Amino acid sequence: MDSEQIQEAADQVRTGQVIKLDRGFPLVRCLDDGLTLRCEHATDLVKEGKLRVVIGDLVEVLIPAEHDKGIIQDVLERRTQLVRKDPAERAVAQVMAANFDLVIVAQPISEVNLKRLERELVLAFETGAKVAVALTKADLVEDGSVVDEVRSQVEARAGATAPVLVMSAAQPETVEAVRALIPEGTVAVLVGKSGVGKSSMINLLVGREVQETGSVREGDGKGRHTTVSREIVPIPGGGFVVDMPGVRGVGVWEAEAGIGAAFADVEEAATRCRFRDCRHQSEPGCAVRAAVEEGLITQERLDSYLSLTTEVKTLRERKEEARRMQGTKASDERAGKRGGHKRVHRARKRR
């Protein structure tokens, strides 16, 4: 942070991007000249909107004279956002990142959790951004047939629009394949639980150690969680990548579109069901059940689909209940959303 630049910019309002969130104040980089400074939220912004910026947010910042921090006055409309159900709340959304072009779901190839993968894909597809899957730590798997089998299982769930790449520190070409997904001018967000190798992926993509990695046990490649901040990291000759802290809970939030994309095979079969409101259980003429019996869709996959759709429905009912208790109409909320396209929230102007 250049103090001389900050003095020159005193009393100006700049547009910037939140490039780092840690235990301190958000770090914002001004778009016009690259000036970076720590910022605090305007009192009105927090009081009225109960809003905190997330990594990637575009903001309007006032740089007051003789003040050591900028003041975030506006959060501009989010082009894309990664949202999950807040694990600490009954029916509240938690935005984790904004304004990205690609979501990379990372899982270690030696211990892929297909149930979790399905949830992560739902969250990723729901953003509307491009989606890819990176199977990490392939250098720890000696049997090539295991790699091929796991990749095939993951590709069956990721679908035709989400490439699945196997990444190995011992094979530079696999690193280049992932880097090619993040060209100049684009931002990718890495999603995965602690210990899947996200920080190691970033170090490989950047070509040097920019993220701390935990010690790894020989044999299983398991390590400890090290990322506690969110930061946008530039890739030399490419775009930017965001390393997120490990996400333990993957609660879906208003994810109908994400479920439709992640379970395209189930929903395609559902279009042939005899009844439009078919629950795919014991109804006559259920094309989804027929697909399961024919081996085209596994029972496990159908169970995941039904569980997720039920979860979204239950969450919607809880939201409606909370809205009724607060005396807010759904139509009012929709009108508010339609009127909020230019800004997520705006602090009152100072008089």
Side-chain angles (χ1 to χ4, degrees):
M1 182 168 60
D2 190 323
S3 58
E4 186 175 330
Q5 279 184 289
I6 292 177
Q7 289 178 4
E8 292 177 356
D11 292 327
Q12 296 181 16
V13 175
R14 298 283 194 88
T15 301
Q17 185 172 38
V18 178
I19 60 171
K20 187 172 185 178
L21 286 174
D22 48 29
R23 293 188 176 96
F25 293 91
L27 183 65
V28 174
R29 179 176 57 219
C30 296
L31 300 183
D32 54 357
D33 60 2
L35 170 68
T36 61
L37 71 162
R38 291 285 180 176
C39 296
E40 58 189 25
H41 295 81
T43 302
D44 289 342
L45 189 71
V46 178
K47 185 185 300 183
E48 294 179 5
K50 297 182 180 179
L51 177 73
R52 290 289 190 278
V53 296
V54 301
I55 191 70
D57 264 334
L58 295 175
V59 296
E60 288 188 0
V61 177
L62 171 66
I63 306 177
E66 300 180 358
H67 191 63
D68 61 347
K69 296 181 186 68
I71 299 175
I72 297 173
Q73 294 188 317
D74 263 344
V75 180
L76 305 187
E77 180 188 7
R78 291 166 176 160
R79 178 168 52 88
T80 53
Q81 55 183 11
L82 181 66
V83 185
R84 68 168 176 173
K85 177 185 171 296
D86 191 329
E89 299 288 345
R90 189 165 182 252
V92 177
Q94 181 186 45
V95 181
M96 298 186 289
N99 300 316
F100 47 84
D101 307 279
L102 171 70
V103 180
I104 300 178
V105 177
Q107 288 217 16
I109 197 166
S110 60
E111 49 183 24
V112 168
N113 184 327
L114 294 176
K115 287 281 190 182
R116 180 183 175 91
L117 175 66
E118 289 170 341
R119 284 180 165 270
E120 290 172 332
L121 286 170
V122 168
L123 262 64
F125 280 120
E126 184 66 26
T127 67
K130 295 180 179 178
V131 178
V133 179
L135 299 175
T136 63
K137 304 183 180 181
D139 46 307
L140 301 178
V141 180
E142 297 180 359
D143 190 343
S145 63
V146 172
V147 173
D148 292 339
E149 180 182 353
V150 172
R151 181 171 185 167
S152 178
Q153 291 177 337
V154 172
E155 285 177 335
R157 285 160 173 79
T161 62
V164 177
L165 298 106
V166 177
M167 194 170 183
S168 169
Q171 297 177 299
E173 66 274 15
T174 65
V175 179
E176 288 302 320
V178 176
R179 187 183 286 121
L181 295 176
I182 317 171
E184 279 191 65
T186 63
V187 178
V189 174
L190 295 186
V191 174
K193 68 177 183 179
S194 301
V196 302
K198 300 191 303 298
S199 295
S200 296
M201 279 182 62
I202 288 182
N203 291 338
L204 289 170
L205 291 171
V206 174
R208 59 187 177 88
E209 190 163 337
V210 294
Q211 298 290 83
E212 181 185 356
T213 57
S215 56
V216 176
R217 294 198 301 262
E218 292 185 8
D220 62 7
K222 292 182 179 179
R224 61 184 177 83
H225 171 65
T226 53
T227 303
V228 295
S229 65
R230 294 168 172 82
E231 181 175 6
I232 298 179
V233 180
I235 300 173
F240 300 86
V241 62
V242 181
D243 186 10
M244 304 284 288
V247 177
R248 181 177 298 175
V250 195
V252 294
W253 177 266
E254 294 186 349
E256 288 88 349
I259 292 174
F263 291 86
D265 53 343
V266 178
E267 297 223 330
E268 191 279 328
T271 62
R272 300 191 298 275
C273 289
R274 182 182 301 176
F275 302 107
R276 293 182 61 183
D277 59 349
C278 182
R279 296 177 299 168
H280 318 308
Q281 294 176 350
S282 58
E283 295 85 352
C286 176
V288 174
R289 297 297 318 172
V292 172
E293 292 170 4
E294 294 172 19
L296 301 176
I297 298 173
T298 66
Q299 182 63 50
E300 182 182 30
R301 184 160 172 77
L302 175 57
D303 290 343
S304 294
Y305 172 82
L306 294 175
S307 175
L308 285 165
T309 52
T310 299
E311 185 175 329
V312 170
K313 180 181 178 182
T314 301
L315 180 62
R316 187 186 302 113
E317 291 171 349
R318 288 176 177 173
K319 286 174 59 186
E320 288 297 331
E321 179 185 349
R323 204 165 16 225
R324 285 194 299 271
M325 292 177 65
Q326 295 170 359
T328 303
K329 297 180 181 178
S331 58
D332 293 340
E333 185 174 283
R334 288 193 296 268
K337 288 181 179 179
R338 287 195 297 269
H341 288 317
K342 295 303 179 184
R343 287 174 168 81
V344 175
H345 188 89
R346 181 168 188 161
R348 287 198 302 266
K349 289 186 177 181
R350 298 170 182 269
R351 294 183 177 179

